[in-house]
Amino acid sequence: IPARTVVEFGKILFAEKKYRDAIKVLENITQKINSDWRCVYRSFYLLAVLNKILGNSKEKIYYTKLCGECNPNFPFVKNGVIQKLQR
């Protein structure tokens, strides 16, 4: 299954408030060798948001940092949204 399809499935699970399932799906992308870079940093962002919702501050900070390091030009990084997640 293409990584883009998996990210979209993770977003659907997120929208359906199936947060733990969404995390499992998105982590598969980030742990697979040679995954599409764009899918990886987008997954990092979604994982940060999901972990914030679930109150997992350690994981939230971890994924927030990874997203910012992977693509400093990602719009959510550039406009400061990702920094607000760290709070």
Side-chain angles (χ1 to χ4, degrees):
I1 301 173
R4 286 180 273 162
T5 305
V6 177
V7 171
E8 292 303 317
F9 181 58
K11 288 165 55 177
I12 289 168
L13 292 170
F14 183 4
E16 293 176 350
K17 299 185 190 245
K18 297 178 181 176
Y19 301 135
R20 295 192 194 288
D21 292 335
I23 287 173
K24 288 178 190 173
V25 167
L26 295 167
E27 282 179 340
N28 283 331
I29 294 169
T30 65
Q31 295 171 1
K32 182 180 174 193
I33 295 173
N34 293 328
S35 285
D36 183 290
W37 170 67
R38 291 166 295 222
C39 294
V40 171
Y41 71 77
R42 289 175 178 142
S43 293
F44 285 152
Y45 173 75
L46 292 168
L47 286 163
V49 173
L50 286 161
N51 280 291
K52 180 176 182 167
I53 290 168
L54 293 174
N56 302 328
S57 61
K58 184 177 176 183
E59 290 87 355
K60 173 194 71 169
I61 292 167
Y62 174 74
Y63 287 116
T64 300
K65 186 175 180 181
L66 286 175
C67 181
E69 289 176 1
C70 278
N71 186 3
N73 294 318
F74 185 45
F76 292 128
V77 173
K78 285 179 76 171
N79 68 18
V81 171
I82 202 82
Q83 285 78 16
K84 292 177 186 173
L85 276 176
Q86 291 181 336
R87 297 182 193 142

